[in-house]
Amino acid sequence: LCLPPVRTPSPPPGLADYVNLPGCLAVPISRGMASLNELQTVYGLEDAFMLLEIAAVDSHNANCWSTHGNRS
C-alpha cells in the first residue's frame, strides 16, 4: 500500500490509544469489519491486514473527497 502523505492537523489532546490490542486488529474491530472472536477463529493475520488496508484506503479516499468538496 503506497499512499501519498496526507497533511493532517495535530490530533486533539486526550486521544486514547489501544493498549491491549495491536492496531492491525483494533482498527477492523472498531470499524465493525470483524469481531475479535472472528479474528481469532475464522480469519487469519493476512485477513486482518487486508481489512486494515481497506480501512486505510477508505479513510484516505474520504479525506480526498472531503478536501475536494471544500475547494469551491
Side-chain angles (χ1 to χ4, degrees):
L1 177 64
C2 183
L3 298 175
V6 177
R7 294 182 193 149
T8 57
S10 299
L15 289 179
D17 238 348
Y18 299 107
V19 178
N20 297 306
L21 201 61
C24 65
L25 299 179
V27 171
I29 292 169
S30 72
R31 297 241 178 151
M33 302 170 97
S35 69
L36 179 58
N37 182 55
E38 288 172 328
L39 289 171
Q40 291 173 326
T41 60
V42 179
Y43 303 120
L45 186 58
E46 185 177 351
D47 297 314
F49 279 111
M50 285 193 284
L51 292 172
L52 186 59
E53 179 182 352
I54 292 167
V57 171
D58 286 352
S59 291
H60 172 79
N61 289 343
N63 186 36
C64 287
W65 276 108
S66 173
T67 303
H68 178 74
N70 292 331
R71 290 184 182 172
S72 32

